[in-house]
Amino acid sequence: MSTTLPPFEEIVATHGPTVLRVCRAVLGPMDADDAWSETFLAALRAYPTLQPGSNVEAWLVTIAHRKAIDVTRARARRPVTAGEVPDVPAADAAGQPGSWDDDLWQALRDLPGKQRQVVAYHYLAGLPYAEIAAIVGGTADAARRAAADGIKNLRRTYLEGATS
């Protein structure tokens, strides 16, 4: 096992896409890029103290989880404007294959928070349930149950909704 850490740029290139997928699944497409940036800024500051041989992906997902909590809290504190809302959504990637538009994000957003987090951390980041339990709290069995319930709900709302 190596006693030195790889350059930080290599860590970003290797794990950046996974962290972005996790941020999108947990927070949605609007706040994911900011959370991703904040995750890697925090990771850059803490990287020199990371022990060689550490699970870098789990470490980054833990940081992303904490940044997602920060974003969620900040979102709750933002003032809500009471103006006229346009009937047409803003022009972005909506409706294009692979985009995070209505259907998938709606199905993920409708999951309870812990189910959404566990599904993202396990199925998008590939973390084992024991590490997920350390991130979100609880036991590995509870994380496994939350993931199973989340996938069951996604199948019911997203997959079955797409066929009907």
Side-chain angles (χ1 to χ4, degrees), residues 12-33 35-37 39-40 57 60-61 64-65 68 98-100 104-105 108 116-127:
V12 174
T14 302
H15 300 290
T18 300
V19 172
L20 182 59
R21 284 192 304 269
V22 166
C23 289
R24 282 181 177 159
V26 172
L27 293 170
M30 298 299 282
D31 294 318
D33 291 337
W36 183 91
S37 298
T39 296
F40 280 100
E57 188 172 55
L60 289 170
V61 169
H65 170 74
S99 70
W100 281 80
L104 178 57
W105 171 236
L108 282 167
R116 182 174 58 245
Q117 291 171 346
V118 172
V119 166
Y121 301 157
H122 184 71
Y123 291 99
L124 297 178
L127 296 180

